[in-house]
Amino acid sequence: MNTLRTAMLLAAMTALFMGVGYLVGGSGGMMIALLIAAGTNLFSYWNADKMVLSMHRAIEVDERNAPEYYAIVKGLAQRAGLPMPRTYLIDNPQPNAFATGRNPQNAAVAASTGLLEQLSHEEVAAVMAHELAHVQHRDTLTMTIVATFAGAISMLGNFAFFFGGNRDNNNSFGIVGVLVAMIVAPLAAMIVQMAVSRTREYEADRRGAEICGHPLWLASALDKIARGAERIRNPDAERNPATAHLFIINPLSGERMDSLFSTHPSTENRIAALQRMASEMAGAPEAAATPKPAPEGTGQQPSGPWERAAQPERPAEPAKPRPNPWGRNPTGPKGPWS
């Protein structure tokens, strides 16, 4: 199903790219756009994840320079039955995170320094579990390819502004075609982004809550990230808006509404869904059991690096995240982002 969805998406984006090429340069422009689209498809499959990470100046980390953060991702990957993804840190005060990569074997997850500084240990675990859910569902390939194509179509629309009005370009639509290329095509690319992103976020929230075992941890994290994104600007995301749908919360300023033009569902709706899930898990503790059995006679959930000294969860009162226990340097020794 995911393969079919990716193939349909590639076909739709390629057709849109060719249509913009025709509006800009006539039949010749359409053929050039077809060649560019073919190259973009090939490049996106193999290299789009590297390009996205480079756009946001992400630095790869490991257990030496980011021990707690790395341990959280490693523990959650084992819990979800996934290969250990490459782990990145973004030097950005806005709390946010995203996942990328063409498959689980070549996946990468990235968190901002703002996320690690402003969220508790449990909330960071819930966010990374959400990103691993995208990896497990193989959303990352689709979402990364969409980001690449949307950026390319927007760039082609800008190209139309400067060269689309040339009378020798075999474009029978004239100025109308140029305006369509400039306005409608990038808008259409954005709508495709939204169609891909919004439904996938709800599914990743649900699976992420299952991986970390506590829906309220993710609900609390989403609230903090949303409030942080409203206060703190993300310059790299503003320069590369086509990648906004990759993040757990929209990183762009002025894009907070759950409307037709939002790449993410409303945070309030996502939190409400997680709260309902927590209530269901509290009412049926056996259904919320973790893959590893608890030690006999203790009545406790199995521990992991994301849970540390968390108190045992009582069925009638789902666990809530504690205040940030990390202090000023949550990632361990200084790294290249300092």
Side-chain angles (χ1 to χ4, degrees), residues 15-68:
L16 181 58
F17 205 75
M18 290 175 62
V20 175
Y22 181 77
L23 292 173
V24 174
S27 55
M30 184 172 66
M31 291 306 299
I32 292 172
L34 176 61
L35 294 175
I36 294 173
T40 302
N41 281 337
L42 188 61
F43 177 85
S44 295
Y45 184 80
W46 292 105
N47 299 295
D49 57 336
K50 300 180 184 69
M51 188 171 70
V52 169
L53 290 164
S54 176
M55 285 177 182
H56 294 278
R57 297 180 292 173
I59 302 294
E60 189 167 6
V61 296
D62 54 30
E63 65 273 11
R64 292 168 300 174
N65 51 16
E68 293 195 36

Side-chain angles (χ1 to χ4, degrees), residues 60 70 73-74 77 82-87 104 106-109 132 135:
E60 189 167 6
Y70 188 87
V73 176
K74 184 177 181 179
L82 290 168
M84 176 62 185
R86 288 171 290 130
T87 308
N106 295 276
V109 293
L132 289 174
V135 172

